[in-house]
Amino acid sequence: MKKKLVAVLLAASMIVGLTACGSGNAANSTDNSGTDNAATTDEGDANASSADATDTSNGGESSGGSGILNINLASEPDYLDPALNSSVDGGCLAVNSFAGLYTYDQNGELIPQLATAMPEVSDDGCVYTVHLMESKWSNGDDLNAQDFVYSWNRVIAEETAADYAYLFDVIARNGDALAIETPDDYTMVITLNSPCPYFNDLMAFPTFFPVHQASVEAANPDGTVPGKWAQEAGFVCNGAYTLQSWNHNESMVYVKNPNYYDAANVTMDELHFMLSADDTAIYAAYNSGDLDYIDTVPNDEISSLNGINPEFGILDNLGTYYIGFNVNDSVFDGKTVEEAAKMRHAMCLLIDRGFIVENVGQTGQVPADSFVPLGMADGNGGEFKQADTSYYDAEATGAGMLEEAVALLEEAGYTLTDNGDGSYSIDPGISITYLTNDGTGHIAIAESIQQDLAVVGISMDIQSEDWNVFLEDRKQGNFTLAREGWLADYNDPVNMLEIFTSDSGNNDMQLGKGSSAAAPAWGDYDAMINEVRNTTDFAARVNLMHEAEDMLMETWAVIPLYYYNDVYMQKSNVDGIFATVFGMKYFMYSTKN
Amino acid sequence: MVKYTIKRIILAIVSILIVSAITFFVMNIIPGGPFNKEKATSAEAQRVLEERYNLDKPLGQQYVLYMNNLIHGDWGISLHSGRDIWGEISSRFKVSARLGGMAAVVAIIIGLILGSVAALTRNKWPDRLIVFLTTLGTAMPSFILATLLLLVFCLKLGWVPVWSSSKPNYVLPIIALSLYPMAYITRLTKTSMLDALNQDYIRTARAKGVPAWKVIFKHALRNALIPVVTYIGPMVAYILTGSMVVENIFTIGGLGSSFVTSITNRDYTMIMATTIFLAILMVVANLLTDIAYKLIDPRITFE
């Protein structure tokens, strides 16, 4: 009897213990305030024009007050220092907490921000004069032209080791410094090496934002940790919001900056960011009403949301998802340059892009028929991609171009035998390996390509690697065929084309880098890009860029699959958020009912 | 005991040195690098960064430099974010320790109670229910449980938020983290309690008319604790290393998620520091476990 009593008491104490523990934890926790989707853009960098993101209308309650917008963009940012950031999500934080000379409006148009007007450009197109308005840093200090001169020179300084220092190459130098004069506190006279049609866009790019010199120097007197000044909440900035608290890997709270030049028009009081890259957690937080805006949606959910849930939206991006051949790979040994190009051309035509965008991408991506994406400006007032600049019919690739692909392979020296069931056998056999990083979307695309190539008897193995190893192998050329992607940093085709120059660190296709007899000669391409960078005739420049894209596509080392877009979900009671085609999202003029 | 403790501390230092050397050389052998990005870092920036972090020197020299700095209290800075490593580890560890500590306490207290109840009601319904629940708890991985808790309590019932910038809720992550060790402790306690209850000294105590609660708590449970104490060392390891998935699902910025991210990023200084820190923690946990044996059972000698 006593034994039973003890057992009952123990059970009772267990229940009490559990309850007490639960409530204790909840009370204790109140003092603690702080991957990869192939279907959408997942590249690491960017910024400049268009795409209104606010046209949804459906129910959905959200937590927080009407002046608080709860957002997820990504996990912990590496750098909040705009000079050192090279990620899209870091760029989004920068455009909301820093102000540059120029910015974008809701229509994607470039407009003055701290500049009083668009720049005055000299007749030769090389001297830009920018007049600044009077404005202040978040700590009340005055912000003037010298702050920009200091900040821009800091980016190019060797010790800063900024990824985007090359963007400043268009500006002429006075010794080690940029050729910028400041006739008075609120005027900048910037001299360029040669006319640059996209320089206005560059001035709206986060790397061109000013930083507070006194803060930077105080935090890092010996220059060894350049981003230290912006590693914790409370750093001085000049944008719409200042970072009030930062619980690493949990949350960031940005509050309205009363010293922002346009504070009177900032409609959202606070931005609360969930710092997570876990698809499930993000989507659950959105559905439970803890978040108002997300730009990560699990791939599996897209088909049940796209066109069905009005809170789901798609943004255009300026970028291309493509695959690329290593032109020096042994699979091309024994072939002439032309034969190797025909092999690649045949494989390009065999890939069913329609299937990929419909079944893997699922967000209405446009199948790509060129490397420079749709919608990119040509630097001369027009759009670069025209109806006649397609390199193949992207809608018909796959089964529709089988015969053409077979003919190309035969011209490349292979014998193809019709199996009578719509497939072919190839002699001698071709075996290639497709390199990709982990990620269900990327693998699904690889599998689709694998099936397409199998139709002509080409055997393709899929090799999936950890992200870091993948980047290393791709850069070193340790692959035959690899998945690739490029999201533009600024709105000019040269940003897409210059990645394939011989000296580019992004030339994974190894064009101009190896000694294979089957690889195309690449000196002319380098010369062409160099001319594009230096020409003063913008009309001729457009033609040169078309010629460069022709030359690139004639190698068939680069096989475009589709043009990027990006997804988001936004509660119906939220309005006024807008984004650019470079992935930058602006939250300061949003409202929440 | 003092001699034993000193011997253990020396062994611990040797273990940590071995762990640090293995980690250092293995992480440098595996492909990838700390400055690899989708859009390539310029050759000049890469050179400056390698020089700054001594990565341009031979591996052996890098290791000696690293350990020398560490001995002088300099844990270095993250190659990925430029943040001070010690500041990162200490702030993340506070979060992990709070979460893990609460999970450990819950697992121990509830495990002991359930184990005792099961032993005292052997082959009756409470015992069978507890056996069923502990089997479930042992079989279910924490990440599945965490997702399940998230779906039920956050999405279906709406009792707790999935995420909040001001009031992170630790109840669900604690349940997710503590279930497995709790189930294990329950089974351990039950087995050792049953063993203890059959001992002569228990029979003697009962024969002398000692109250039942005193027999159980003072004599049986105390002796049943030894295997449980043995498990505490591995449990700390499980909770700290197993917390990564739970931290990610519940958006908790602890050491587990930070450790995994540092490996993905090849953030060498962060990997080294976290490994050494966790190694020290494990060694200390095991040492304390051994000392606790002695306190619970004075018959145990270390010679």
Side-chain angles (χ1 to χ4, degrees), chain A residues 132-143:
Chain A
L132 278 75
M133 65 173 72
E134 289 186 18
S135 65
K136 290 190 181 296
W137 291 99
S138 57
N139 66 350
D141 288 355
D142 287 333
L143 192 158

Side-chain angles (χ1 to χ4, degrees), chain A residues 89-414:
Chain A
D89 46 284
C92 290
L93 295 174
V95 298
N96 286 285
S97 55
F98 288 88
L101 294 173
Y102 297 94
T103 187
Y104 296 92
D105 65 11
Q106 301 204 4
N107 302 313
E109 299 298 327
L110 196 67
I111 55 167
Q113 194 170 32
L114 294 185
T116 55
M118 294 311 286
E120 297 157 15
V121 185
S122 63
D123 290 343
D124 65 358
C126 287
V127 181
Y128 280 61
T129 304
V130 180
H131 299 285
L132 278 75
M133 65 173 72
E134 289 186 18
S135 65
K136 290 190 181 296
W137 291 99
S138 57
N139 66 350
D141 288 355
D142 287 333
L143 192 158
N144 59 36
Q146 280 304 331
D147 288 301
F148 278 93
V149 176
Y150 164 76
S151 305
W152 292 10
N153 277 305
R154 175 176 174 261
V155 177
I156 62 161
E158 190 183 71
E159 62 269 20
T160 308
D163 286 338
Y164 275 127
Y166 75 90
L167 292 179
F168 292 79
D169 288 350
V170 296
I171 303 177
R173 306 289 164 109
N174 283 334
D176 288 338
L178 295 166
I180 307 172
E181 288 171 19
T182 52
D184 60 59
D185 280 352
Y186 294 95
T187 304
M188 294 171 72
V189 179
I190 307 154
T191 306
L192 307 188
N193 287 315
S194 58
C196 175
Y198 53 88
F199 189 64
N200 289 349
D201 278 332
L202 286 183
M203 288 191 283
F205 192 81
T207 316
F208 285 71
F209 290 169
V211 294
H212 188 248
Q213 183 172 1
S215 300
V216 174
E217 291 176 350
N220 180 37
D222 60 358
T224 53
V225 192
K228 196 169 183 179
W229 65 279
Q231 284 179 348
E232 295 302 336
F235 60 84
V236 178
C237 59
N238 73 327
Y241 298 96
T242 58
L243 181 59
Q244 186 187 54
S245 69
W246 185 359
N247 286 329
H248 294 288
N249 276 350
E250 292 180 3
S251 63
M252 296 172 101
V253 173
Y254 280 88
V255 296
K256 195 170 160 179
N257 171 16
N259 286 322
Y260 179 51
Y261 82 102
D262 194 28
N265 292 316
V266 172
T267 46
M268 188 56 67
D269 295 330
E270 296 185 13
L271 306 179
H272 293 197
F273 289 93
M274 174 194 192
L275 302 177
S276 173
D278 187 297
D279 283 8
T280 312
I282 295 165
Y283 192 56
Y286 180 82
N287 283 324
S288 69
D290 297 329
L291 291 173
D292 303 305
Y293 185 94
I294 59 175
D295 65 1
T296 303
V297 180
N299 240 13
D300 297 344
E301 303 289 342
I302 289 175
S303 59
S304 64
L305 295 168
N306 192 9
I308 298 164
N309 186 338
E311 293 184 0
F312 178 86
I314 296 170
L315 298 166
D316 287 330
N317 278 165
L318 265 188
T320 306
Y321 187 104
Y322 65 103
I323 58 174
F325 283 97
N326 171 7
V327 293
N328 296 315
D329 190 73
S330 59
V331 76
F332 304 115
D333 284 354
K335 299 288 173 197
T336 63
V337 174
E338 292 73 25
E339 285 171 341
K342 280 178 180 169
M343 278 174 73
R344 296 188 288 260
H345 187 183
M347 289 189 245
C348 170
L349 300 183
L350 286 167
I351 297 169
D352 186 346
R353 289 161 178 78
F355 179 87
I356 289 173
V357 298
E358 278 168 33
N359 297 285
V360 185
Q362 303 179 72
T363 57
Q365 290 96 338
V366 176
D369 56 15
S370 63
F371 182 64
V372 176
L374 273 176
M376 186 163 248
D378 67 0
N380 193 35
E383 194 170 312
F384 186 77
K385 184 166 168 47
Q386 301 296 324
D388 60 349
T389 55
S390 301
Y391 294 91
Y392 46 85
D393 182 357
E395 302 290 343
T397 54
M401 292 193 169
L402 181 58
E403 282 179 25
E404 199 177 330
V406 167
L408 281 165
L409 285 169
E410 284 173 342
E411 287 171 33
Y414 293 94

Side-chain angles (χ1 to χ4, degrees), chain A residues 2-4 6-7 10-11 13-14 18 21-22 25-26 28-34 42-46 70-71 76-79 84 86 156 158-164 223-226 231-232 246-253 272-276 278 280-281 284-285 287-288 290-291 466-469 471-472 474-475 483-489 495 505-506, chain B residues 30-42 44-49 52-53 77-84 88 91-92 95 98 102 106 109-110 113-114 116-117 119-121 124 147 150-151 154-155 160-171 174 182 197 206 211-213 216-217 245 247-254 257-258 261 263-266:
Chain A
K2 277 185 179 174
K3 201 170 155 186
K4 277 187 181 172
V6 170
L10 281 173
S13 68
M14 177 190 82
L18 186 60
C21 178
N25 293 336
N28 191 28
S29 65
T30 55
D31 65 346
N32 182 29
S33 52
D42 64 333
E43 313 313 322
D45 314 47
N70 295 295
I71 306 158
E76 182 91 349
D78 290 332
Y79 289 103
L84 296 176
S86 60
I156 62 161
E158 190 183 71
E159 62 269 20
T160 308
D163 286 338
Y164 275 127
T224 53
V225 192
Q231 284 179 348
E232 295 302 336
W246 185 359
N247 286 329
H248 294 288
N249 276 350
E250 292 180 3
S251 63
M252 296 172 101
V253 173
H272 293 197
F273 289 93
M274 174 194 192
L275 302 177
S276 173
D278 187 297
T280 312
N287 283 324
S288 69
D290 297 329
L291 291 173
D466 158 78
W467 175 243
N468 206 302
V469 180
L471 290 180
E472 182 99 346
R474 209 170 60 170
K475 190 176 174 184
R483 88 133 193 105
E484 295 275 355
W486 190 266
L487 187 65
D489 297 314
N495 182 238
N506 296 302
Chain B
I30 56 173
F35 310 121
N36 280 347
K37 290 179 183 167
E38 173 88 36
K39 293 189 175 178
T41 303
S42 73
E44 191 186 324
Q46 178 121 359
R47 181 187 58 74
V48 171
L49 292 168
R52 182 176 296 162
Y53 299 117
I77 57 175
S78 161
L79 305 185
H80 205 67
S81 66
R83 293 198 187 105
D84 175 61
E88 281 280 283
S91 66
R92 302 288 170 95
V95 176
R98 185 162 48 201
M102 286 192 280
V106 168
I109 293 176
I110 299 179
I113 293 170
L114 287 179
S116 304
V117 171
L120 293 173
T121 60
K124 298 200 173 71
T147 310
L150 191 86
L151 291 175
C154 302
L155 284 177
V160 281
V162 178
W163 167 86
S164 163
S165 60
S166 55
K167 289 179 282 186
N169 197 304
Y170 277 20
V171 176
I174 285 171
M182 185 203 300
L197 286 171
R206 280 181 176 149
W213 65 268
I216 291 163
F217 286 107
V245 178
E247 284 173 9
N248 269 348
I249 291 174
F250 292 105
T251 320
I252 294 171
S257 52
S258 155
T261 310
I263 296 168
T264 311
N265 292 336
R266 305 291 189 273

